[in-house]
Amino acid sequence: MAPRLLPFGSDPVRPAPPTPVTITVDGETTTGVTGQSLAGVILGSGTLGFRRTSANNAPRGVFCGIGVCFDCLVEVNGQRDVRACQRRASSGDVVVTQHDDLPGGEGE
Ligand code: FES
């Protein structure tokens, strides 16, 4: 174990047990802990591609992690274009990965 990874019981910053947060990503249920961003919970589930580009259908996921690049856009509870790295996960969140076709059907 790395010296910075304290066992849960001896961590002075977070003495209470973590509260689980359960969300769904494209219909699959996944669990994180209170305080995690949606990106953290999604990554923890093993999903790396959060959306696909319009032009080349290329996968995009967390790149900057600080709300600058917009590569982590997902739909959350019916609201599109949410930056997963900037939104805290809340139990019951329904996350859907995004893809927008170019106008006229190009890029499909
Ligand atoms: S990862 Fe860059 S805005 Fe979310």
Side-chain angles (χ1 to χ4, degrees):
M1 175 183 291
R4 291 187 179 265
L5 295 176
L6 297 174
F8 169 72
S10 60
D11 184 349
V13 177
R14 183 179 296 167
T19 307
V21 171
T22 302
I23 67 171
T24 61
V25 181
D26 290 337
E28 298 286 326
T29 301
T30 188
T31 304
V33 295
T34 300
Q36 267 191 305
S37 66
L38 279 175
V41 177
I42 296 168
L43 286 173
S45 76
T47 300
L48 301 179
F50 291 25
R51 70 178 182 93
R52 292 196 161 268
T53 60
S54 299
N56 298 317
N57 200 31
R60 292 289 184 265
V62 175
F63 181 67
C64 72
I66 57 173
V68 175
C69 72
F70 289 73
D71 271 353
C72 64
L73 295 179
V74 291
E75 180 180 312
V76 182
N77 303 328
Q79 182 178 1
R80 296 180 47 81
D81 301 332
V82 174
R83 289 173 290 174
C85 70
Q86 296 298 293
R87 175 138 171 182
R88 201 164 283 187
S90 181
S91 267
D93 279 345
V94 177
V95 177
V96 179
T97 54
Q98 289 191 189
H99 173 71
D100 294 318
D101 293 329
L102 290 172
E106 298 174 37
E108 292 181 17

